[in-house]
Amino acid sequence: MEKLVLACIDGSSYSTAVGDAAAWAALRMNAPLKFLHVLHKEKSSPPADLSGSIGLGARESLLEELAALDEKRGKLAQEKGRQILAAIRERARAAGISAPEGLHRHGGLVETLIELEEGIRLLVLGKRGQEAEVASEHLGSHLERVIRTLNRPILVTTAEFRIPQRVMLAFDGSATARKGLEMVAGSPLFKGLPCHLVMVGTDSAEAQTELSRARQILEQAGFDVPAVILPGEAESVLGEYQQEHGIDLMIMGAYGHSRIRHLLIGSTTTTMLRKSTIPLLLLR
């Protein structure tokens, strides 16, 4: 089975960016593209016990009306989901995707993605969804759990997506970082783009050796590879480097452990997700 780019769409202001990022990735990777909309079942609060103030028949009538209202809400939500998928698929076709698919599911997002994980080559998400749009410092309620649960590359996009011209790999010599290095070198996703290698930590002989090996792998794959070792805290150093060099997309490990703990511990991943102004490609 050919693995695909799967993009999660919820109708929030991030959906357009998610769709654009997914279409760009699918075209670069020559992979099929599918959009997923998951309709969460909302739990209805039971009505207050009014049997002491209204008749039994009236209470039964009220319950029937509430049930009918829930059914109507459910149908409206389904129709909204179909319209969201139709609009985003049309936008993907305009971007050059010949046959973007749509998938509408009921249930939990994480559980649905676990079910679909085997067929995913790249997952694309917005850093916030409908429930978090009002608070700019809050991530989507499912985002961290999805990243921790799925063992797939995950592209987390900001509210606006622009086609990357320069990318950066946060590298520390760990197994996850080497996996990212191999992915960048072997994937068509970043071919032809400069790839900056950035290590955060002490500029030691060991670090220089690791950086030199990584740079050589990317150069052999045809990349232009600026490479640096910078002291400081990863969150601020990576952000400053991104802004100074016009980086459009950052690649980094997520929620793991490394020999240079500044890069890949969970708190750093969450901070980068919250503060980054560019898309992040997260690897496990």
Side-chain angles (χ1 to χ4, degrees):
M1 179 178 67
E2 186 178 10
K3 293 188 177 183
L4 51 78
V5 175
L6 183 67
C8 297
I9 304 296
D10 66 356
S12 71
S13 62
Y14 282 74
S15 292
T16 297
V18 170
D20 290 350
W24 166 78
L27 287 170
R28 295 279 296 188
M29 299 165 73
N30 193 27
L33 173 60
K34 181 177 289 187
F35 294 104
L36 171 67
H37 180 269
V38 177
L39 183 61
H40 302 279
K41 182 175 178 57
E42 296 183 2
K43 296 181 179 180
S44 300
S45 300
D49 185 359
L50 304 176
S51 57
S53 56
I54 62 175
L56 180 60
R59 184 171 185 273
E60 290 179 347
S61 176
L62 176 60
L63 290 173
E64 291 175 358
E65 290 181 16
L66 289 172
L69 183 60
D70 282 344
E71 182 180 359
K72 183 177 181 179
R73 276 199 298 254
K75 289 181 178 179
L76 288 173
Q78 289 183 35
E79 179 58 28
K80 180 182 178 182
R82 283 191 287 268
Q83 291 182 11
I84 290 170
L85 285 173
I88 205 69
R89 290 173 66 195
E90 183 59 34
R91 187 177 178 90
R93 277 190 285 267
I97 303 294
S98 59
E101 297 183 38
L103 178 62
H104 187 81
R105 287 287 186 90
H106 290 76
L109 175 61
V110 178
E111 292 72 20
T112 300
L113 291 175
I114 291 172
E115 179 185 340
L116 300 173
E117 181 175 8
E118 186 62 30
I120 298 174
R121 184 173 175 183
L122 174 69
L123 178 65
V124 186
L125 298 167
K127 67 188 294 184
R128 299 184 182 92
Q130 288 178 319
E131 80 292 335
E133 285 185 307
V134 294
S136 61
E137 283 299 311
H138 289 85
L139 298 173
S141 60
H142 302 290
L143 182 60
E144 290 181 82
R145 188 179 168 210
V146 168
I147 295 169
R148 290 181 184 275
T149 302
L150 266 65
N151 189 24
R152 289 290 183 271
I154 300 176
L155 177 58
V156 181
T157 185
T158 48
E160 295 183 7
F161 177 80
R162 61 181 181 183
I163 295 177
Q165 303 299 317
R166 286 171 293 276
V167 300
M168 176 173 73
L169 174 61
F171 185 78
D172 68 347
S174 68
T176 301
R178 288 195 297 272
K179 178 181 177 181
L181 181 71
E182 293 168 1
M183 190 214 74
V184 172
S187 172
L189 191 58
F190 304 113
K191 288 296 182 185
L193 303 181
C195 182
H196 294 240
L197 272 177
V198 181
M199 294 187 75
V200 180
T202 304
D203 188 355
S204 63
E206 181 184 7
Q208 286 286 355
T209 299
E210 292 281 4
L211 191 66
S212 178
R213 289 173 180 169
R215 184 175 187 174
Q216 184 177 20
I217 289 173
L218 289 177
E219 287 178 338
Q220 288 176 347
F223 287 89
D224 175 25
V225 192
V228 294
I229 300 174
L230 300 172
E233 295 295 325
E235 295 96 328
S236 57
V237 170
L238 294 175
E240 290 170 3
Y241 188 92
Q242 174 260 313
Q243 292 180 8
E244 290 173 5
H245 294 84
I247 303 298
D248 303 305
L249 185 147
M250 188 186 308
I251 308 155
M252 62 182 290
Y255 299 120
H257 298 285
S258 66
R259 287 180 293 130
I260 302 177
R261 290 179 57 84
H262 289 93
L263 277 183
L264 301 179
I265 58 174
S267 60
T268 297
T269 303
T270 299
T271 300
M272 293 301 298
L273 283 167
R274 285 177 176 162
K275 294 187 175 182
S276 179
T277 58
I278 60 171
L280 299 178
L281 179 59
L282 301 176
L283 307 174
R284 296 299 309 279

